[in-house]
Amino acid sequence: MGRVTARVSSPLPVPGGAAVTVVGVDAAARPAYPGLADVLADAGLVVGAARHLAAAPVPPGCPTVTLGPLEPAVRRLAAAVAASTPAVVLASGDPGFFGIVRRLRAAGLPVRVRPAVSSVAAAFARAGLPWDAAAVVSAHGRDLRPALNACRALPAVAVLTAPGAGAAEIGAGLAGWTRRLVVAEHLGTPDERITWTTPAEAAATTWADPHVVLSLARADADPGRGRRADNQPAAPPAEGWALPESAYAHRASMITKVEVRALVVARLRPRLGRLVWDVGAGSGSVGIECALLGAAVIAVEREPDAPIRANAARHGVDVRVVAGAAPAALDGLPDPDAVFVGGGGTAVLAAAAARRPSRVVATLAALDRVAPAVHLLRDAGYAVEGSQLAAARLADLPGGSLRLAATNPVVVLTGEAPSTWGNP
């Protein structure tokens, strides 16, 4: 059998062979990058943070740009590429990992990358932990809430932080969740410090920037235990969702039926980075399936013997359970992105809408409650749509015949807020 050769064309051809060489600097290595002197020897422009430029063997007389705002540096690099001038960018760790490579490619610049160890890999290494089962998120230059919700949802998360979105803020946001945190400050420098702490202690501490936060759910701090067989910690569950009622322990059939649950979960739009409330959770099936799809979940249930925790453990997800009757039990909870109201009437629905989630989904069996619920959501500014689900399931009859067995009709209401209230 002959050899098959695949030819791959670069989407960014290099004019005249000119490209921007992006070099990752590992401050812990000596020298910081073994081939850095050779890379810089022919450079006609060097771009980097002040600390990198000060430590690098930049040739005398070579023009440099100290990184602050990125736009001026990108313009200088584009001019260098157009003039076929060799340009070098110095960056921390792996510049293709939440780094400057994405921004340079977005500007249409051809790049060659020589990476070093990323800050996330270094943080796990300093903590002596494997990280093949961890998710990595960034709060640098973006809203902290999605990163915080990832820490609430998943057993092992690394967070790239920024001033005002660091270990103290993450620790404060994890109140109510059982987590251990590792804070890695000034990685690879003489001031490096690795601290194991609790969320409460992290919230009360002032941390030096830059730092990386590792959020770990397990008491033994091993993020690899219990990991998914497909090595995809934030991917949709391999076994699917809208699972049969038999997949959950429940009391006297008090569970959202699979046909209804499929629509409810679709309307809630759970995903990594979002926080979902499951109010009147019962068995917890709706919240658990949202957690299976990557969302952080708070289940509110007034019955102390409800099997939510056992069901969550059975499906390998972390659901925070708040015992108490809504709406009072909702006070003090972090703001949700979506809310499912499975019970409690209009008072609970009003309390949920008052927190301004992007979506509110409610199930109602009694028709006399539908109109008040619709008007309540509309008055709160939501666009409301609804449908009645009346499923009939196949059932066996003697002699091999089949019949249809009706389930109780349920009205599903969805209130969608203007996009300015939250993510879609």
Side-chain angles (χ1 to χ4, degrees):
M1 187 172 180
R3 176 181 297 175
V4 177
T5 302
R7 298 184 63 187
V8 180
S9 298
S10 170
L12 291 172
V14 179
V20 178
T21 300
V22 186
V23 181
V25 178
D26 183 354
R30 295 294 179 268
Y33 185 87
L36 187 57
D38 293 339
V39 174
L40 293 174
D42 299 324
L45 176 68
V46 180
V47 176
R51 67 183 187 278
H52 292 150
L53 293 174
V58 178
C62 179
T64 62
V65 175
T66 302
L67 280 177
L70 277 179
E71 287 304 323
V74 171
R75 288 197 295 269
R76 288 286 300 274
L77 290 167
V81 169
S84 297
T85 300
V88 177
V89 175
L90 305 177
S92 297
D94 184 347
F97 186 74
F98 289 97
I100 198 171
V101 170
R102 177 176 285 106
R103 179 65 185 85
L104 297 180
R105 287 187 62 87
L109 297 179
V111 295
R112 299 187 180 99
V113 182
R114 299 194 178 191
V117 175
S118 72
S119 58
V120 170
F124 276 104
R126 302 296 194 276
L129 296 173
W131 65 290
D132 48 351
V136 181
V137 296
S138 177
H140 190 89
R142 60 193 77 188
D143 184 7
L144 175 62
R145 282 180 58 185
L148 183 56
N149 285 333
C151 294
R152 292 164 172 164
L154 299 178
V157 180
V159 184
L160 300 171
T161 69
E169 292 76 16
I170 292 170
L174 288 175
W177 278 265
T178 302
R179 295 291 184 270
R180 291 192 72 189
L181 300 182
V182 180
V183 183
E185 301 170 275
H186 289 304
L187 281 165
T189 74
D191 298 323
E192 178 180 296
R193 183 173 67 161
I194 308 299
T195 305
W196 291 77
T197 186
T198 66
E201 291 168 345
T205 302
T206 300
W207 304 95
D209 291 310
H211 63 268
V212 175
V213 174
L214 310 182
S215 171
L216 308 170
R218 294 188 58 88
D220 60 11
D222 183 353
R225 292 194 182 184
R227 69 184 177 190
R228 287 172 46 149
D230 58 10
N231 287 322
Q232 299 296 319
E239 65 274 18
W241 54 95
L243 303 175
E245 286 95 272
S246 59
Y248 301 96
H250 53 88
R251 304 188 310 271
S253 296
M254 295 297 292
I255 182 173
T256 304
K257 299 298 189 289
V258 60
E259 296 88 354
V260 176
R261 194 177 340 118
L263 178 61
V264 166
V265 172
R267 291 285 190 251
L268 290 169
R269 296 181 182 174
R271 64 177 183 270
L272 187 65
R274 288 170 68 87
L275 174 62
V276 176
W277 286 358
D278 181 0
V279 183
S283 67
S285 62
V286 169
I288 288 168
E289 296 201 1
C290 289
L292 285 169
L293 291 164
V297 175
I298 297 177
V300 179
E301 173 55 46
R302 65 183 180 182
E303 297 295 337
D305 59 343
I308 302 170
R309 291 184 177 86
N311 284 329
R314 176 179 179 181
H315 292 283
V317 293
D318 187 358
V319 171
R320 178 183 169 188
V321 179
V322 174
L330 307 180
D331 293 342
L333 298 183
D335 289 335
D337 296 290
V339 177
F340 171 59
V341 178
T346 54
V348 175
L349 199 59
R355 300 295 287 273
R356 294 295 188 263
S358 59
R359 296 199 142 211
V360 179
V361 181
T363 53
L364 302 166
L367 291 179
D368 59 340
R369 294 185 177 183
V370 174
V374 170
H375 294 312
L376 185 155
L377 289 173
R378 286 177 177 167
D379 290 345
Y382 288 86
V384 182
E385 62 179 39
S387 58
Q388 183 191 68
L389 299 185
R393 299 178 177 179
L394 289 175
D396 291 321
L397 285 173
S401 295
L402 296 171
R403 69 180 180 91
L404 289 174
T407 60
N408 289 331
V410 174
V411 174
V412 179
L413 297 181
T414 302
E416 186 167 5
S419 59
T420 53
W421 284 4
N423 295 322

